[in-house]
Amino acid sequence: MFTLINITAKEKKKQLEKLRPLTILLVEDNLLNAKLVAVLFAQQGLSLQLAANGQEAIEKIRSTPVDLVLMDMEMPVMNGYQATSIIRQQLKSTIPIIALTAHSLPGEKEKCIAYGMTDYVVKPLDPDQLFTSMYQAVYSSKLPAAKKRAAALPATVAALENVCNMDYLLKVTRGNKKNINYIVSVFFKETQKELTCLNKAIEKTNYPLIGDISHKIKSAFFILGIKVLDQVFTELELLSSNPSTVEKIKQLNSRINIVFKQARAEMKAYQ
């Protein structure tokens, strides 16, 4: 659950006009999330550079002028916390950095700010919230107090009759069929790879890897509105950080695979 920010059409237009000339760097190892942000940016005429991890981001910032960084927190090689610390302490850079994370736990925003990040946005990304955060981070604009409303809850899922909720994807793509099919295609291709890696990690009882993969694919399932797995992913991450028995993890993994197959069937019918 996250908060959406309502802004007027005039304010949104102003923000986007001022964001278009900027060089924006997205640091994200999840290909699906990166493709989704690329679609959002292309729809608004915004340019985007990509880095797959914190180390790549640091190298780009050292060699290329960057106006704003969108930083994922959980990545291989170097995560967002480590990268931000180096950018602030070693590079002495004041470049605005917005944390992008699937974590909505109490204290997470404060943790990100303590590491030197400018703002914090929870995945799945709401375009208006993201663009407003970007605008404020770069221009330190004192906008009028924004009216806030709770995010609309997804449709209730009864058993496994319907696991996908397309509201979010329809919103961020503005109903563009080509972009929807593209994102859905990337979701199934990349998530299948991650599920295969998760199966292998479970076989080898590699608990740190189980936790990393669980966190990574959680946001991917959010994109298709698959909320039925929320509690499963939360429990899986907890078990991977406090390993006792792998049997419960296997049960949770089985549920994920069942829902994944159901989602594939639903999307075939949708397309």
Side-chain angles (χ1 to χ4, degrees):
M1 186 73 67
F2 57 91
T3 301
L4 301 181
I5 298 177
N6 286 336
I7 60 173
T8 66
K10 184 177 180 180
E11 289 171 336
K12 181 177 179 179
K13 183 178 179 181
K14 173 188 174 183
Q15 291 177 7
L16 292 171
E17 285 176 349
K18 296 199 72 173
L19 289 173
R20 288 187 183 111
L22 303 181
T23 299
I24 302 167
L25 176 64
L26 172 65
V27 190
E28 172 66 75
D29 69 306
N30 186 306
L31 181 59
L32 176 63
N33 288 336
K35 294 293 186 183
L36 180 66
V37 174
V39 167
L40 290 178
F41 275 44
Q43 288 176 160
Q44 302 297 345
L46 302 174
S47 59
L48 186 67
Q49 295 187 18
L50 297 174
N53 55 63
Q55 184 61 54
E56 286 189 17
I58 290 169
E59 293 171 0
K60 283 183 177 289
I61 291 170
R62 278 179 170 146
S63 61
T64 309
V66 175
D67 299 304
L68 173 66
V69 178
L70 304 178
M71 181 78 75
D72 183 40
M73 294 295 95
E74 304 294 335
M75 296 177 288
V77 183
M78 181 183 291
N79 65 37
Y81 304 107
Q82 296 167 322
T84 301
S85 293
I86 291 174
I87 292 169
R88 297 296 188 229
Q89 297 174 18
Q90 295 185 21
L91 302 188
K92 305 298 182 183
S93 173
T94 59
I95 181 174
I97 301 174
I98 298 176
L100 306 181
T101 176
H103 286 309
S104 56
L105 300 174
E108 184 64 24
K109 180 174 182 177
E110 291 73 15
K111 178 181 177 181
C112 289
I113 300 300
Y115 270 86
M117 293 159 206
T118 312
D119 201 0
Y120 165 101
V121 176
V122 178
K123 299 176 184 177
L125 301 174
D126 175 77
D128 287 344
Q129 184 188 40
L130 176 62
F131 294 140
T132 295
S133 177
M134 290 165 56
Y135 176 79
Q136 291 175 324
V138 173
Y139 297 105
S140 299
S141 176
K142 295 183 179 179
L143 299 176
K147 294 181 180 179
K148 299 182 179 181
R149 60 179 174 85
L153 292 174
T156 301
V157 177
L160 283 182
E161 291 181 2
N162 184 17
V163 299
C164 296
N165 184 318
M166 297 295 289
D167 289 353
Y168 174 72
L169 194 54
L170 285 168
K171 178 180 179 180
V172 297
T173 61
R174 295 185 292 188
N176 185 291
K177 190 76 172 180
K178 181 179 178 181
N179 286 337
I180 290 173
N181 289 340
Y182 175 65
I183 293 298
V184 169
S185 175
V186 174
F187 167 81
F188 285 112
K189 180 180 179 181
E190 294 303 312
T191 305
Q192 183 62 71
K193 291 179 184 178
E194 296 297 337
L195 289 177
T196 299
C197 292
L198 180 58
N199 291 335
K200 292 179 180 178
I202 292 172
E203 288 175 5
K204 297 179 180 179
T205 60
N206 186 336
Y207 291 104
L209 185 57
I210 291 170
D212 289 345
I213 297 173
S214 300
H215 178 80
K216 183 176 180 180
I217 63 177
K218 177 168 63 175
S219 61
F221 278 89
F222 282 166
I223 289 171
L224 292 190
I226 306 176
K227 302 289 285 181
V228 71
L229 289 176
D230 281 7
Q231 187 58 41
V232 172
F233 284 120
T234 298
E235 192 171 352
L236 195 55
E237 287 189 76
L238 288 172
L239 288 172
S240 65
S241 61
N242 298 285
S244 56
T245 174
V246 77
E247 291 308 314
K248 181 62 176 178
I249 290 177
K250 288 181 178 178
Q251 293 174 11
L252 296 173
N253 183 50
S254 177
R255 293 185 203 174
I256 294 171
N257 281 277
I258 290 171
V259 171
F260 181 73
K261 290 177 182 178
Q262 176 67 21
R264 189 189 293 277
E266 287 181 23
M267 287 300 98
K268 283 183 178 179
Y270 177 86
Q271 293 174 309

